[in-house]
């Protein structure tokens, strides 16, 4: 084994990880529901999916705002529109986030017109398996006005009667956050008490394109078993997903936005799925409803961006909706550094450049050892070639003689690769951070091609529209290969020279912020390697002169 083989192994490992995430990344396994309630929960989840039995189009459960009127809530952060017929959320438009980078692009609506039919932020009452969608057939009243919050909190109150239930929904809004708190008071108007359940619902159109592998719309949740999520849209359509076990929150989310329900009780169960291309979710809590006794239950909704700072102030560990997987422990600190740098340079592209330099400085000594090891290996190549010519037909003897050669000249064949292994987690951490951080969404670097009006790197979370940076990055990788000592094995040499082409292909669709990072890192590595080679040549010249 020599340096080349190790580097090749590392490169191929990185390639496999990237390719796997791009083409085959499986969703995390959905949590299994408790056996005792398996049948009922499966049915509940299916009712949120397209596997619901013989559902006509439109569903008889769909919201039809025939009697209600619209009520608007304005805050510095969003414009929300509710329908007085059940308090259904009809739209939730974020004022600080546009759909595209175009200046005339509309602001992001986290509900979408098609999702309104599924009753977002509605209430479902269930008794003996029979669901009562309170936005259907109920008689609702509203005596308030539109809200315009500049500061503080205000509430909307919807009252109504559905079946044998009298309901009062108090939705409280905070001008400083995206959190909406609900106090739901249910009064059983029948002559007998009974056990029932109350469900708070969410529904939203897909927040991303169906084929977006980097940023899928998914269902996530946190309970006593930890954070989990379901990203497979087909599974959500066909089976749905269920989660309980001290549920803390559940969300319809993308990398950048979420529509979350935060239950107040300890016994909440989430049912979710995809129906008619709409992501649906219900959080159910048990309730004992005594005759003519009002019972108040609480839940909260967070409808907004994956702003880690704001999420950290939300209840029930809602900040854990932002998760970068295995590299979370590295990705989040790197984002903290990026945000810190941004305060001074006001350009995330420049912040990435500074961060790249900082990382390079940290790893400079390790990289130096790697290059020095490669140089020592380079000097041994003629002797290794002779051994290969002599013992090429006897692999065991060839390996023994090669290892003896390494021992004689005190060369560790793994010495050049270990520094690279240590840097790989940082690469992946930054990869995950750049792929999923709301700060990088629509963050420009070089917004226009210099001296033109041609839009270029106007969004660091999107690919380079003209593939300039990945092509240059591929060229730098090729140059690095030329500067690296050649392998004695011709096959290895061909594979190594082929790697820049493979990486360039993979990087074509990567976020431009990541490509900028990798490109600059390559340039810095080339500079470091060139300095070391020049230093060695100078030293050899001095030795020869002596």
């Amino acid at each position: 084994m020599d340096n080349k083989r190790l580097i090749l192994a590392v490169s191929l490992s990185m390639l496999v990880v990237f390719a796997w995430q791009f083409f085959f990344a499986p969703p995390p396994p959905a949590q299994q529901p408790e056996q005792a309630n398996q049948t009922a929960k499966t049915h509940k989840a299916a009712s949120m999916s397209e596997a619901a039995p013989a559902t006509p189009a439109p569903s008889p459960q769909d919201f039809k705002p025939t009697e209600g009127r619209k009520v608007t809530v304005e805050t510095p952060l969003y414009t929300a529109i509710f329908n007085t017929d059940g308090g259904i959320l009809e739209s939730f438009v974020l004022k600080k986030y546009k759909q595209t980078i175009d200046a005339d692009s509309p602001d992001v609506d986290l509900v979408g017109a098609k999702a309104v039919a599924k009753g977002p932020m509605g209430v479902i009452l269930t008794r003996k398996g029979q669901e009562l969608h309170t936005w259907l057939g109920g008689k609702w009243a509203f005596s308030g006005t539109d809200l315009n919050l500049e500061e503080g909190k205000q509430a909307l109150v919807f009252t109504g009667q559905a079946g044998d239930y009298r309901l009062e929904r108090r939705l409280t809004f905070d001008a400083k956050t995206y959190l909406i708190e609900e106090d739901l008071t249910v009064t059983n108007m029948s002559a007998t008490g009974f056990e029932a359940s109350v469900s708070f619902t969410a529904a939203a159109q897909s927040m991303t394109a169906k084929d977006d592998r980097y940023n899928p719309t998914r269902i996530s949740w946190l309970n006593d078993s930890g954070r989990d999520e379901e990203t497979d849209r087909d599974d959500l359509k066909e089976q749905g997903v269920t989660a309980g076990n001290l549920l803390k929150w559940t969300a319809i989310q993308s990398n950048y936005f979420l529509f979350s329900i935060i239950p107040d009780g300890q016994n909440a169960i989430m049912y979710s799925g995809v129906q008619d291309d709409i992501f649906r979710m219900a959080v159910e809590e048990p309730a004992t409803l005594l005759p003519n006794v009002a019972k108040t239950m609480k839940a909260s909704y967070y409808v907004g961006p994956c702003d880690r700072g704001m999420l950290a102030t939300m209840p029930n560990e809602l900040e854990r909706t932002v998760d970068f997987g295995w590299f979370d422990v590295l990705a989040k600190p790197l984002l903290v550094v990026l945000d810190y740098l941004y305060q001074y340079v006001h350009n995330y592209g420049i912040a990435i450049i500074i961060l790249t330099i900082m990382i390079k400085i940290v790893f400079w000594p390790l990289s130096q050892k790697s290059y020095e090891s490669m140089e020592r290996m380079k000097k041994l190549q003629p002797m290794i070639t002779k051994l290969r010519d002599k013992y090429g037909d006897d692999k065991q003897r060839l390996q023994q003689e090669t290892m003896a050669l390494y021992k004689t000249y005190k060369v560790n064949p793994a010495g050049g690769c270990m520094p690279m292994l240590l840097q790989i987690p940082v690469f992946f951490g930054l990869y995950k951070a750049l792929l999923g951080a709301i700060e990088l969404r629509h963050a420009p670097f070089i917004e226009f091609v210099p001296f033109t009006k041609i839009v270029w790197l106007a969004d660091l979370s999107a690919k380079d529209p003209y593939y300039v940076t990945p092509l240059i990055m591929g060229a730098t990788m090729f140059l690095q290969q030329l500067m690296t000592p050649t392998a004695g094995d011709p096959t290895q040499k061909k594979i190594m020279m082929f790697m820049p082409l493979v990486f360039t292909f993979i990087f074509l669709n990567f976020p431009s912020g990541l490509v900028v990072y990798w490109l600059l890192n390559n340039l810095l590595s080339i500079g470091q390697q060139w300095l070391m080679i020049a230093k060695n040549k100078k030293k050899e010249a001095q030795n020869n002169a002596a």
Side-chain angles (χ1 to χ4, degrees):
M1 183 170 63
D2 58 18
N3 267 344
K4 278 291 182 181
R5 286 178 178 168
L6 279 170
I7 293 172
L8 179 60
V10 171
S11 300
L12 289 175
S13 298
M14 294 173 65
L15 182 62
V16 167
V17 172
F18 278 132
W20 178 265
Q21 291 203 355
F22 184 77
F23 294 108
F24 307 110
Q31 185 179 355
Q32 296 298 318
E34 298 174 11
Q35 187 67 33
N37 298 317
Q38 177 71 42
T39 302
K41 291 178 179 178
T42 301
H43 174 75
K44 279 274 191 177
S47 71
M48 294 284 166
S49 70
E50 291 186 350
T55 302
S59 166
Q61 298 173 348
D62 282 358
F63 172 63
K64 304 175 186 65
T66 55
E67 298 183 4
R69 66 179 180 85
K70 299 179 188 298
V71 181
T72 302
V73 179
E74 292 276 359
T75 80
L77 301 174
Y78 60 82
T79 300
I81 297 177
F82 292 85
N83 193 290
T84 59
D85 201 8
I88 297 301
L89 179 63
E90 292 198 348
S91 73
F92 199 94
V93 177
L94 305 179
K95 295 181 176 179
K96 296 186 177 181
Y97 299 91
K98 291 188 173 296
Q99 293 182 8
T100 71
I101 60 174
D102 293 336
D104 297 332
S105 173
D107 294 332
V108 170
D109 179 0
L110 289 183
V111 176
K114 285 181 61 179
V116 176
K118 305 304 178 188
M121 285 186 66
V123 171
I124 300 174
L125 299 171
T126 305
R127 181 190 176 196
K128 295 182 177 179
Q130 298 296 316
E131 294 182 353
L132 175 61
H133 295 231
T134 61
W135 58 82
L136 295 174
K139 297 295 182 183
W140 289 86
F142 176 75
S143 58
T145 61
D146 293 344
L147 299 183
N148 193 343
L149 282 75
E150 291 298 328
E151 58 183 12
K153 296 182 178 180
Q154 289 190 48
L156 293 178
V157 179
F158 304 98
T159 57
Q161 182 163 346
D164 291 333
Y165 306 96
R166 186 167 63 211
L167 303 106
E168 179 183 282
R169 302 189 64 193
R170 176 178 292 273
L171 301 176
T172 303
F173 306 88
D174 186 338
K176 294 182 179 179
T177 76
Y178 297 93
L179 188 71
I180 302 171
E181 297 172 301
E182 172 162 7
D183 293 271
L184 169 66
T185 300
V186 182
T187 304
N188 172 12
M189 303 295 291
S190 69
T192 58
F194 48 80
E195 297 295 326
S197 62
V198 177
S199 297
F200 301 91
T201 71
Q205 64 185 5
S206 179
M207 297 177 184
T208 55
K210 284 184 178 180
D211 58 351
D212 193 336
R213 296 175 182 273
Y214 298 119
N215 181 19
T217 300
R218 63 263 194 185
I219 301 292
S220 61
W221 63 92
L222 177 69
N223 60 12
D224 205 38
S225 301
R227 185 190 185 280
D228 211 336
E229 63 182 24
E230 176 60 69
T231 60
D232 192 306
R233 193 173 297 208
D234 290 335
D235 284 351
L236 288 170
K237 281 182 179 179
E238 296 166 4
Q239 304 168 13
V241 65
T242 303
N245 191 21
L246 299 178
L247 182 73
K248 291 189 174 181
W249 53 257
T250 182
I252 302 166
Q253 74 167 108
S254 66
N255 289 358
Y256 305 122
F257 303 104
L258 72 155
F259 188 160
S260 176
I261 302 176
I262 309 168
D264 184 64
Q266 300 289 313
N267 300 311
I269 299 175
M270 175 273 285
Y271 305 97
S272 63
V274 172
Q275 191 177 60
D276 301 331
D277 285 332
I278 300 299
F279 285 77
R280 301 187 66 190
M281 197 165 61
V283 172
E284 180 185 271
E285 295 191 57
T288 300
L289 300 177
L290 301 176
N292 294 307
V293 175
K295 182 178 182 60
T296 298
M297 305 180 72
K298 296 184 177 183
S300 301
Y301 305 86
Y302 180 96
V303 192
C306 296
D307 181 321
R308 296 184 305 285
M310 184 176 291
L311 289 173
T313 67
M314 296 293 111
N316 286 19
E317 302 179 64
L318 192 63
E319 71 272 18
R320 294 184 65 180
T321 49
V322 179
D323 184 88
F324 297 112
W326 293 352
F327 300 97
D328 191 76
V329 67
L330 289 172
K332 288 179 178 175
L334 289 171
L335 280 173
V336 170
V337 177
L338 271 181
D339 289 340
Y340 177 80
L341 295 172
Y342 179 80
Q343 295 178 38
Y344 297 96
V345 298
H346 305 294
N347 183 305
Y348 274 106
I350 297 175
I352 289 172
I353 289 174
I354 297 174
L355 176 63
T356 308
I357 295 172
M358 292 169 63
I359 293 174
K360 190 64 184 175
I361 291 173
V362 171
F363 285 107
W364 187 278
L366 290 173
S367 299
Q368 191 73 11
K369 289 183 178 179
S370 172
Y371 299 140
E372 289 172 356
S373 178
M374 289 181 186
E375 282 298 305
R376 287 196 295 271
M377 291 294 297
K378 180 181 178 180
K379 293 177 180 176
L380 296 182
Q381 284 304 320
M383 288 181 272
I384 293 175
T385 302
K386 289 182 180 178
L387 290 177
R388 189 172 286 114
D389 294 339
K390 188 175 181 180
Y391 302 111
D393 296 331
D394 187 347
K395 298 296 183 185
Q396 186 176 1
R397 181 67 183 275
L398 175 61
Q399 184 175 5
Q400 290 173 348
E401 295 294 334
T402 303
M403 296 308 295
L405 187 67
Y406 291 153
K407 188 175 181 179
T408 300
Y409 288 91
K410 299 180 181 179
V411 172
N412 181 0
C417 199
M418 289 307 295
M420 182 180 294
L421 288 174
L422 293 174
Q423 293 183 59
I424 285 176
V426 178
F427 288 147
F428 279 106
L430 193 58
Y431 160 72
K432 298 295 290 186
L434 294 176
L435 201 62
I438 187 73
E439 301 96 310
L440 275 297
R441 181 182 183 271
H442 294 177
F445 177 28
I446 304 173
E447 197 165 357
F448 300 99
V449 174
F451 311 111
T452 73
K453 292 294 184 182
I454 301 173
V455 177
W456 186 29
L457 302 179
D459 182 0
L460 286 167
S461 68
K463 67 179 182 181
D464 184 333
Y466 306 110
Y467 306 111
V468 173
T469 47
L471 290 175
I472 297 176
M473 188 217 68
T476 60
M477 289 189 73
F478 183 74
L479 181 58
Q480 277 185 299
Q481 289 302 322
L482 294 178
M483 295 176 68
T484 303
T486 57
D489 188 333
T491 303
Q492 284 186 39
K493 182 179 178 182
K494 290 178 181 177
I495 294 176
M496 293 304 294
M497 295 306 292
F498 188 67
M499 293 304 294
L501 181 63
V502 176
F503 270 78
T504 301
F505 177 77
I506 292 176
F507 271 64
L508 288 178
N509 292 310
F510 270 14
S512 55
L514 182 68
V515 181
V516 168
Y517 164 76
W518 208 294
L519 167 59
L520 180 61
N521 185 68
N522 283 352
L523 292 173
L524 294 173
S525 298
I526 289 171
Q528 184 180 11
Q529 201 167 350
W530 181 83
L531 286 174
M532 192 201 66
I533 292 172
K535 180 180 177 182
N536 287 342
K537 286 184 176 178
K538 184 179 180 180
K539 187 175 180 181
E540 288 178 4
Q542 290 173 344
N543 291 337
N544 293 334

